[in-house]
């Protein structure tokens, strides 16, 4: 299995066969994680550093667990509290860490493109855990694995992505991945939360959610970030929920076996009705979390194989 | 008496009609720092020298182009405050090597050039350190804060040629209109930055597919048009002399055209970067392409090139903005904006000649003649009586830009490693040679 990439910076760089290879390997890690002895030595002897310049609980925990299950030495650095406050530049932070000789660097940063910039300055493999509004590749990959397992395929599906598309790196990575795998993508949201030039992306854009959900196989909800409220992007949470929140009525327009996804953390009653999120027949939100660990194990394993091949 | 004869030169006269738009061969005579005559090519230079005075030095141009030196409006020099980015000395050398014979400097220094004392300081520094002419602009409002106008009268007495807060828009229209009313009474030229400041706040690229793909904060190109519309209304209200530093979008051009047709005293400029690059050049977050205003779509670029050709956009400048490595080696949103341009202005502008979009006469109208005219300077012409501020260049020499060869202290050129065509061979200011290619 070849994965011709030094880093995992975005979905943009991946070919469809890279995506399939990664998901196939992730399947084996789903099985491993479900077994009693949840351990492999794939990353044994390697050092993984998680650098989060932006708050995160679930993504960081997921990467940490993924590394530990594969036997890596894992260290977490809460970058918000440390050197950037002292005025150190991103490049200097990167060089400092690089000198500690990590093998895998997992980075989240509030600015688009920052992870790629950092990757230019280090010798190890870098995984983008979210950069600004740009990309969040492991999220798109875990979503893809979840869809593939629930639907039996990852192509020719009608996938509706709803909510704050403009500010969402999850939406961007999903758009790229699901597009590469040849699905029909619909974007649903108020025009204030739609990125400009979106019509040129080969997607269908809807500001009426009911219309957009018609016959969808997958309904992917995005989190409405509270800070968007102050920006005047939407008039109020209740109007937003009324028009763009996922409730029984609206979901009934999608295919009867449509699955409901959400990258979390959820705002119940803002973008999604709590009873739908908890409906085990429709919601795959918990599966997404589980697939997240497996996909991250697979991604780190593939990059580590390349590192070892390079050293040999 | 003739001191200097440029023989066998392809003379680029910005005022030339279409037949000679790409130059006509001849000799140019210089005496006492001024152009004293232009002769057709058939007379041998040696004979002319004999006739006109034996002391004349002959510069054999061997068919290279000779044009009026470039007048570059909007050059940032880091004095006072940021001399590590660019000093008068380094900027002067860069200008000479780039064929820029007059630098019109920006007041967005630290502190801002907003009082006669600071202006006198920079004028003194410029005189001591630079081989080319330097004219200083001053801030329109104190500290470029947009609250109180500067001492426009005193600053003019001290030599300020124009008033501008540079890329900071005077958002308070009351302050702006009062400053323009006052400026009008003194005949001062005000340079505005047409941009709706609230709409464009925080934006680092132009909105569109590319910005969305990269996930960068973006501003609609309409923000430029809104800013221009406001400024035009204020000019109409006050009668002030106004120059828009950069008009870079197609949607702003009809407004500019109407304002000119209505007889307002308005001109407009554009940086050579916006004429030769577009938003896609940012590619993978390359911060050397982060400019103010941000690079535009290819459609906008094409429209701007056409507007330079028709004369609707009057002036091409470099918008020389030196930034050191530290301020550029950052995530795109955090990185400093701007590019150095003194040395690349002419080779970059020549791309438009090689692409057959503009003639050499059209280029030098925008690079030399129009900026000189706008500032009331005698240079910018190839005519008897004009100062012998000249640039000799070969428009065809190909080279690959290497930023480490630049004379600027800062090396942030977006043309690094790009193929260029056309090199400056020599620069003269007032008949004095200030630079020659070895």
């Amino acid at each position: 299995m070849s994965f011709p990439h030094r880093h995992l910076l975005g979905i943009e760089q991946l070919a469809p066969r890279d995506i399939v290879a990664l998901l196939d390997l992730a399947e084996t890690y789903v099985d491993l994680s479900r077994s009693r002895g949840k351990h492999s030595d794939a990353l044994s002897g390697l050092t993984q550093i998680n650098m989060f310049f932006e708050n995160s609980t679930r993504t960081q925990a997921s990467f940490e667990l993924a590394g530990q299950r594969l036997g890596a030495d894992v260290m977490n650095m809460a970058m918000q509290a440390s050197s950037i406050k002292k005025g150190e530049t991103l490049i200097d932070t990167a060089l400092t860490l690089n000198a500690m000789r990590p093998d895998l660097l997992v980075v989240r940063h509030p600015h688009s493109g920052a992870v790629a910039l950092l990757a230019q300055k280090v010798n190890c493999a870098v995984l983008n855990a979210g950069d600004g509004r740009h990309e969040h590749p492991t999220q798109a990959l875990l979503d893809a694995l979840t869809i593939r397992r629930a639907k039996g395929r990852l192509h020719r599906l009608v996938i509706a992505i709803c909510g704050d598309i403009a500010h969402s790196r999850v939406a961007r990575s999903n758009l790229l991945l699901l597009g590469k795998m040849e699905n029909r993508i619909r974007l649903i949201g108020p025009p204030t939360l739609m990125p400009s030039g979106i019509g040129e992306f080969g997607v269908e854009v809807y500001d009426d959610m009911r219309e957009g959900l018609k016959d969808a196989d997958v309904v992917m909800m995005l989190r409405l970030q509270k800070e968007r409220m102050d920006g005047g992007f939407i008039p109020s949470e209740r109007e937003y929920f009324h028009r763009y929140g996922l409730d029984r009525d609206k979901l009934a327009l999608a295919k009867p076996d449509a699955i409901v996804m959400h990258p979390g953390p959820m705002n119940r009653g803002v973008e999604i009705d709590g009873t739908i999120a908890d409906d085990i027949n429709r919601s795959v939100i918990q599966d997404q979390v589980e697939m997240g660990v497996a996909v991250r194990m697979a991604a780190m394993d593939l990059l580590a194989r390349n590192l070892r091949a390079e050293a040999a | 008496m003739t001191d200097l004869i440029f023989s066998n030169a392809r003379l680029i006269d910005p005022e030339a009609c279409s037949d000679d738009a790409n130059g006509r061969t001849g000799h140019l005579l210089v005496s006492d720092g001024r152009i004293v005559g232009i002769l057709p090519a058939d007379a041998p230079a040696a004979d002319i020298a004999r006739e006109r005075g034996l002391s004349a030095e002959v510069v054999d141009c061997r068919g290279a182009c000779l044009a009026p030196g470039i007048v570059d409006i909007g050059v940032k020099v880091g004095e006072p405050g940021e001399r590590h980015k660019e000093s008068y000395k380094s900027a002067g050398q860069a200008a000479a090597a780039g064929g820029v014979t007059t630098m019109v400097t920006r007041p967005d220094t630290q502190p801002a050039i907003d009082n006669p004392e600071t202006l006198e300081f920079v004028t003194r520094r410029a005189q001591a350190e630079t081989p080319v002419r330097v004219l200083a602009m001053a801030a329109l409002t104190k500290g470029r804060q947009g609250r109180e106008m500067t001492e426009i009268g005193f600053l003019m007495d001290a030599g300020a040629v124009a008033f501008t807060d540079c890329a900071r828009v005077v958002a308070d229209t009351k302050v702006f209109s009062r400053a323009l009313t006052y400026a009008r009474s003194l005949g001062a030229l005000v340079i505005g930055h047409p941009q709706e400041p609230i709409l464009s706040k925080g934006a680092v690229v132009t909105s569109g597919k590319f910005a969305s793909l990269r996930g960068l904060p973006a501003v609609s190109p309409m923000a430029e048009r809104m800013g221009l519309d406001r400024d035009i209304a204020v000019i109409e209200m006050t009668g002030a002399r106004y120059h828009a530093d950069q008009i870079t979008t197609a949607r702003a051009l009809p407004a500019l055209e109407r304002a000119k047709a209505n007889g307002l005293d308005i001109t407009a400029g554009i940086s050579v970067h916006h004429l030769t690059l577009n938003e896609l050049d940012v590619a993978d977050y390359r911060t050397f392409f982060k400019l103010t205003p941000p690079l535009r779509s290819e459609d906008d670029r094409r429209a701007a090139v056409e507007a330079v050709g028709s004369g609707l956009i009057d002036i091409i400048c470099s918008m020389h903005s030196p930034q050191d490595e530290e301020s550029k080696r950052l995530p795109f949103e955090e990185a400093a904006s701007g590019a150095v341009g003194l040395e690349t202005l002419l080779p970059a502008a020549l791309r438009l000649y090689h692409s057959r979009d503009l003639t050499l006469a059209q280029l030098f109208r925008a690079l030399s003649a129009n900026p000189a005219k706008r500032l009331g300077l005698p240079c910018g012409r190839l005519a008897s009586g004009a100062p012998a501020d000249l640039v000799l260049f070969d428009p065809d020499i190909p080279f690959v830009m290497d930023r480490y060869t630049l004379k600027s202290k800062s090396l942030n050129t977006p043309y690094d490693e790009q193929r260029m065509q056309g090199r400056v061979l020599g620069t003269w200011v007032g008949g004095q040679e200030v630079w020659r290619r070895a």
Side-chain angles (χ1 to χ4, degrees):
Chain A
M1 192 185 309
S2 85
F3 188 76
H5 303 280
R6 181 172 180 81
H7 309 292
L8 179 61
L9 298 177
I11 299 297
E12 196 183 346
Q13 294 84 12
L14 302 185
R17 65 174 178 280
D18 301 331
I19 294 166
V20 172
L22 198 150
L23 297 184
D24 290 346
L25 181 61
E27 291 281 6
T28 68
Y29 285 126
V30 175
D31 298 338
L32 179 76
S33 295
R34 285 179 180 180
S35 68
R36 278 271 164 243
K38 308 176 175 21
H39 198 84
S40 130
D41 290 324
L43 299 184
S44 152
L46 300 184
T47 303
Q48 171 194 345
I49 299 182
N50 298 333
M51 274 171 95
F52 280 66
F53 292 90
E54 199 181 69
N55 271 332
S56 160
T57 313
R58 25 176 82 221
T59 306
Q60 188 173 333
S62 182
F63 268 108
E64 187 175 355
L65 206 52
Q68 283 174 353
R69 283 195 185 152
L70 294 182
D73 297 314
V74 187
M75 183 175 85
N76 288 317
M77 294 188 71
M79 299 309 297
Q80 278 197 312
S82 86
S83 44
I84 37 170
K85 291 260 164 72
K86 296 174 194 160
E88 191 178 52
T89 66
L90 180 63
I91 303 265
D92 286 333
T93 307
L95 292 177
T96 304
L97 274 181
N98 192 46
M100 298 180 196
R101 300 201 162 271
D103 302 286
L104 296 157
L105 207 51
V106 179
V107 187
R108 169 170 288 190
H109 197 280
H111 289 313
S112 304
V115 179
L117 176 69
L118 192 146
Q120 292 167 14
K121 309 291 171 187
V122 295
N123 307 105
C124 57
V126 176
L127 291 101
N128 182 0
D131 62 324
R133 309 172 184 178
H134 178 222
E135 282 229 44
H136 190 358
T138 55
Q139 177 72 43
L141 288 162
L142 74 87
D143 288 341
L145 185 59
T146 309
I147 294 169
R148 196 171 80 168
R149 287 171 67 100
K151 291 280 148 199
R153 66 177 197 272
L154 191 56
H155 59 273
R156 297 173 69 99
L157 294 166
V158 178
I159 297 167
I161 306 177
C162 320
D164 182 358
I165 315 285
H167 301 99
S168 173
R169 54 192 171 216
V170 176
R172 254 171 212 75
S173 287
N174 265 310
L175 209 63
L176 291 169
L177 191 154
L178 297 169
K180 281 179 199 238
M181 304 311 288
E182 297 179 6
N183 294 283
R184 256 179 85 181
I185 301 167
R186 296 176 181 172
L187 300 180
I188 304 170
T192 46
L193 295 176
M194 252 340 137
S196 63
I198 195 69
E200 298 171 50
F201 281 82
V203 296
E204 299 159 51
V205 181
Y206 292 88
D207 49 33
D208 181 340
M209 188 168 182
R210 291 170 182 277
E211 221 174 286
L213 286 183
K214 257 176 218 158
D215 301 322
D217 296 292
V218 176
V219 181
M220 195 181 279
M221 301 304 299
L222 296 174
R223 168 181 157 73
L224 182 76
Q225 288 166 5
K226 299 274 184 182
E227 55 268 30
R228 307 290 166 228
M229 301 294 300
D230 308 326
F233 289 93
I234 54 166
S236 72
E237 282 186 13
R238 61 180 192 177
E239 180 162 330
Y240 184 82
F241 183 68
H242 178 71
R243 298 192 61 204
Y244 297 103
L246 187 65
D247 55 22
R248 290 261 165 232
D249 277 0
K250 294 192 194 104
L251 184 57
L253 294 162
K255 285 208 180 129
D257 62 346
I259 55 169
V260 174
M261 306 177 74
H262 193 297
M266 277 182 286
N267 296 307
R268 287 168 188 259
V270 179
E271 69 257 354
I272 190 164
D273 186 303
T275 61
I276 294 177
D278 299 333
D279 182 345
I280 51 163
N281 295 315
R282 305 308 288 273
S283 163
V284 293
I285 296 170
Q286 297 309 317
D287 301 292
Q288 286 175 274
V289 179
E290 184 187 356
M291 295 310 125
V293 179
V295 154
R296 285 165 184 132
M297 289 166 84
M300 290 196 287
D301 185 4
L302 287 175
L303 295 180
R305 289 181 199 185
N306 288 348
L307 287 180
R308 288 199 168 112
E310 211 174 281
Chain B
M1 273 293 282
T2 301
D3 312 323
L4 196 54
I5 300 172
F6 291 91
S7 69
N8 302 314
R10 192 169 141 197
L11 300 168
I12 312 300
D13 177 3
E15 309 299 336
C17 52
S18 54
D19 280 355
D20 294 335
N22 286 315
R24 163 175 290 196
T25 312
H27 312 298
L28 183 128
L29 314 183
V30 172
S31 176
D32 240 3
R34 294 189 172 275
I35 298 169
V36 292
I38 291 166
L39 296 173
D42 39 24
D47 295 352
I48 302 166
R50 208 170 303 122
E51 277 170 37
R52 301 268 176 152
L54 290 166
S55 62
E57 179 198 339
V58 178
V59 177
D60 186 355
C61 301
R62 294 175 191 166
C65 295
L66 189 67
I70 297 167
V71 178
D72 193 3
I73 299 184
V75 174
K76 168 79 181 280
V77 179
E79 294 188 53
E82 292 174 301
R83 213 153 100 183
H84 61 288
K85 292 187 179 176
E86 194 82 285
S87 66
Y88 273 99
K89 191 172 181 180
S90 60
Q93 287 167 349
V100 174
T101 50
T102 303
M103 288 195 284
V104 183
T105 56
R106 300 210 305 255
D108 53 344
T109 47
Q110 287 169 357
I113 300 168
D114 62 355
N115 59 64
E117 290 75 16
T118 314
L119 188 82
E120 274 158 23
F121 163 78
V122 300
T123 310
R124 212 166 48 238
R125 291 282 307 152
Q127 266 167 6
E129 301 282 351
T130 57
V132 302
R133 299 181 203 272
V134 179
L135 297 169
M137 299 192 283
L140 182 65
T141 68
K142 288 175 188 159
R144 298 167 58 234
Q145 295 292 318
R147 284 197 286 271
E148 296 168 78
M149 71 177 90
T150 52
E151 295 169 320
I152 296 175
F154 280 154
L155 283 160
M156 285 180 83
D157 292 345
V161 295
F163 295 83
T164 179
D165 279 357
C166 301
R168 228 183 259 170
V169 178
V170 181
D172 186 329
T173 306
K174 203 175 255 179
V175 173
F176 190 60
S177 63
R178 282 182 186 149
L180 263 66
T181 304
Y182 193 83
R184 185 198 179 277
S185 71
L186 293 161
L189 177 67
V190 174
I191 298 187
H193 179 70
Q195 192 67 219
E196 211 304 302
I198 295 169
L199 194 59
S200 58
K201 198 174 165 196
V204 294
V205 285
T206 304
S207 63
K209 183 185 178 187
F210 176 77
S212 294
L213 201 57
R214 287 287 173 270
L216 291 168
V219 61
S220 163
M222 282 302 239
E224 181 173 288
R225 152 80 183 283
M226 290 178 201
L228 183 65
D229 277 340
R230 183 207 60 165
D231 287 8
I232 288 172
V234 177
I235 308 161
E236 203 172 320
M237 185 167 102
T238 60
R241 301 175 60 217
Y242 176 93
H243 173 71
D245 65 349
Q246 297 184 72
I247 293 295
T248 58
T249 60
R251 303 296 278 273
L253 293 172
L256 178 64
E257 198 168 13
R258 272 197 306 278
K260 284 188 165 185
N262 290 342
L264 299 184
D265 192 351
I266 181 173
T267 50
I270 186 168
S271 89
V272 76
H273 303 119
H274 290 88
L275 289 173
T276 55
L277 305 169
N278 69 28
E279 57 185 350
L280 301 180
D281 284 303
V282 169
D284 283 324
Y285 304 98
R286 295 194 289 172
T287 58
F288 279 16
F289 293 83
K290 182 175 177 181
L291 303 175
T292 308
L295 286 170
R296 308 300 194 183
S297 70
E298 178 62 7
D299 287 347
D300 280 331
R301 188 193 74 84
R302 297 277 341 154
V305 171
E306 211 169 284
V308 171
S310 73
L312 179 57
I313 292 178
D314 307 79
I315 291 169
I316 301 174
C317 64
S318 72
M319 208 41 81
H320 183 80
S321 301
Q323 298 290 358
D324 54 11
E325 300 280 318
E326 280 65 42
S327 37
K328 281 288 188 185
R329 274 176 44 179
L330 292 169
F332 199 85
E333 280 174 66
E334 289 178 0
S337 183
V340 290
L342 283 167
E343 286 162 87
T344 46
L345 176 53
L346 185 54
L350 284 171
R351 284 185 170 182
L352 303 169
Y353 161 69
H354 292 298
S355 65
R356 298 178 195 279
D357 285 308
L358 299 173
T359 63
L360 291 175
Q362 282 173 316
L363 277 182
F364 278 89
R365 193 177 65 197
L367 288 166
S368 308
N370 285 344
K373 216 180 283 173
R374 191 56 170 146
L375 296 171
L377 309 176
C379 59
R381 302 173 295 143
L382 279 196
S384 286
D389 292 3
L390 299 163
V391 52
L392 182 68
F393 66 97
D394 183 330
D396 298 318
I397 300 178
F399 70 102
V400 175
M401 180 69 218
D402 172 4
R403 66 193 180 112
Y404 294 100
T405 62
L406 292 177
K407 295 182 169 38
S408 277
K409 276 195 184 177
S410 295
L411 307 176
N412 55 309
T413 173
Y415 301 110
D416 190 34
E417 294 178 11
Q418 289 197 24
R419 289 159 196 263
M420 315 284 285
Q421 203 179 347
R423 286 208 121 149
V424 175
L425 302 175
T427 308
W428 287 261
V429 175
Q432 295 293 312
E433 177 187 306
V434 293
W435 192 78
R436 266 316 257 290
R437 178 162 296 280

